[in-house]
Amino acid sequence: DVKVTQSSRYLVKRTGEKVFLECVQDMDHENMFWYRQDPGLGLRLIYFSYDVKMKEKGDIPEGYSVSREKKERFSLILESASTNQTSMYLCASSLPISGGQETQYFGPGTRLLVL
Amino acid sequence: GQNIDQPTEMTATEGAIVQINCTYQTSGFNGLFWYQQHAGEAPTFLSYNVLDGLEEKGRFSSFLSRSKGYSYLLLKELQMKDSASYLCAVRGPGNTPLVFGKGTRLSVIA
């Protein structure tokens, strides 16, 4: 079974703090993704990575950065947390299958509250 | 670009059948996924369609018409535990990431 883990289920931070969200997968997947999920807006892609040290911007990268130093780990960084970054953050991974069923597997999510 | 539409909410009765529709517009197409997400939990994979037609998996079936840009998820013999959000997601051209719809929240009532 694919396992994707995230460092925290719940996190409370103050405005202006630097926040690190960690994601680890144990299935040797090349592809990893960070989403945020908000009521009425669905899942929105922040950043993704198709290889170590590689990163691509998703639909809403502003205010975020990422790091992928090892294949199994993909970190999301909020450089200076703001209240509008209060959200559920979901990490996912997948094995690349060009033109085929590339299923994404999700971690349990981190519910972040920025005060 | 890609655009995915699905109803925001649906309600159905235990034991009944419900159909959740998804329409999409995309410049290229490499498959459509359905995910289930219970409140407070992560999405989990339900089904994948890349060719036209119906894929059946137990109580759940998924249908795709590529020419119409249309899919539906059919849930039979509804159970209370089927109360969840159902997310439609489309894989576009090349190696682009999945694009998710906003999800349909299904409530199953007694």
Side-chain angles (χ1 to χ4, degrees):
Chain A
D1 266 0
V2 176
K3 195 165 182 186
V4 182
T5 57
Q6 295 182 227
S7 47
S8 308
R9 290 300 304 269
Y10 301 94
L11 211 51
V12 180
K13 295 291 180 182
R14 297 264 176 212
T15 303
E17 279 193 76
K18 192 167 186 176
V19 182
F20 293 87
L21 303 182
E22 304 284 344
C23 175
V24 178
Q25 49 91 7
D26 67 357
M27 285 302 290
D28 206 33
H29 285 174
E30 276 82 3
N31 299 346
M32 296 189 76
F33 308 85
W34 273 107
Y35 297 88
R36 63 177 285 178
Q37 188 174 34
D38 302 284
L41 297 177
L43 276 170
R44 291 182 293 166
L45 183 63
I46 304 171
Y47 268 97
F48 60 100
S49 169
Y50 286 164
D51 202 351
V52 175
K53 297 199 186 289
M54 177 266 183
K55 59 185 178 183
E56 293 277 352
K57 292 180 180 179
D59 299 317
I60 51 163
E62 296 78 20
Y64 303 94
S65 62
V66 289
S67 171
R68 185 131 184 239
E69 296 295 318
K70 293 185 177 181
K71 191 176 186 180
E72 67 270 19
R73 186 181 297 268
F74 192 34
S75 304
L76 180 70
I77 303 150
L78 286 66
E79 296 290 341
S80 177
S82 62
T83 53
N84 63 12
Q85 292 179 309
T86 291
S87 187
M88 168 72 101
Y89 289 88
L90 287 158
C91 174
S93 74
S94 68
L95 199 61
I97 301 174
S98 181
Q101 183 180 339
E102 185 185 317
T103 303
Q104 287 190 14
Y105 297 90
F106 285 84
T110 296
R111 193 169 289 281
L112 173 67
L113 173 62
V114 182
L115 300 173
Chain B
Q2 293 164 307
N3 190 42
I4 299 174
D5 285 312
Q6 48 182 133
T8 305
E9 290 189 54
M10 298 181 73
T11 302
T13 306
E14 195 176 13
I17 299 173
V18 72
Q19 178 175 311
I20 303 173
N21 295 326
C22 171
T23 58
Y24 64 90
Q25 293 99 39
T26 179
S27 53
F29 181 80
N30 271 319
L32 186 143
F33 294 77
W34 284 96
Y35 281 80
Q36 180 191 58
Q37 186 179 23
H38 285 102
E41 297 182 12
T44 54
F45 169 75
L46 279 180
S47 69
Y48 172 73
N49 295 69
V50 67
L51 299 176
D52 290 352
L54 189 69
E55 295 277 344
E56 296 188 73
K57 215 186 261 188
R59 293 190 297 115
F60 292 8
S61 304
S62 56
F63 172 83
L64 176 68
S65 168
R66 288 173 297 170
S67 62
K68 294 181 179 175
Y70 169 68
S71 172
Y72 67 72
L73 181 69
L74 194 72
L75 291 75
K76 301 176 189 175
E77 300 168 18
L78 279 173
Q79 302 175 10
M80 301 299 283
K81 68 178 182 180
D82 297 330
S83 292
S85 287
Y86 292 86
L87 311 179
C88 173
V90 173
R91 182 91 190 276
N95 204 19
T96 54
L98 282 180
V99 176
F100 284 85
K102 292 180 181 178
T104 299
R105 188 163 64 201
L106 174 67
S107 299
V108 180
I109 58 175

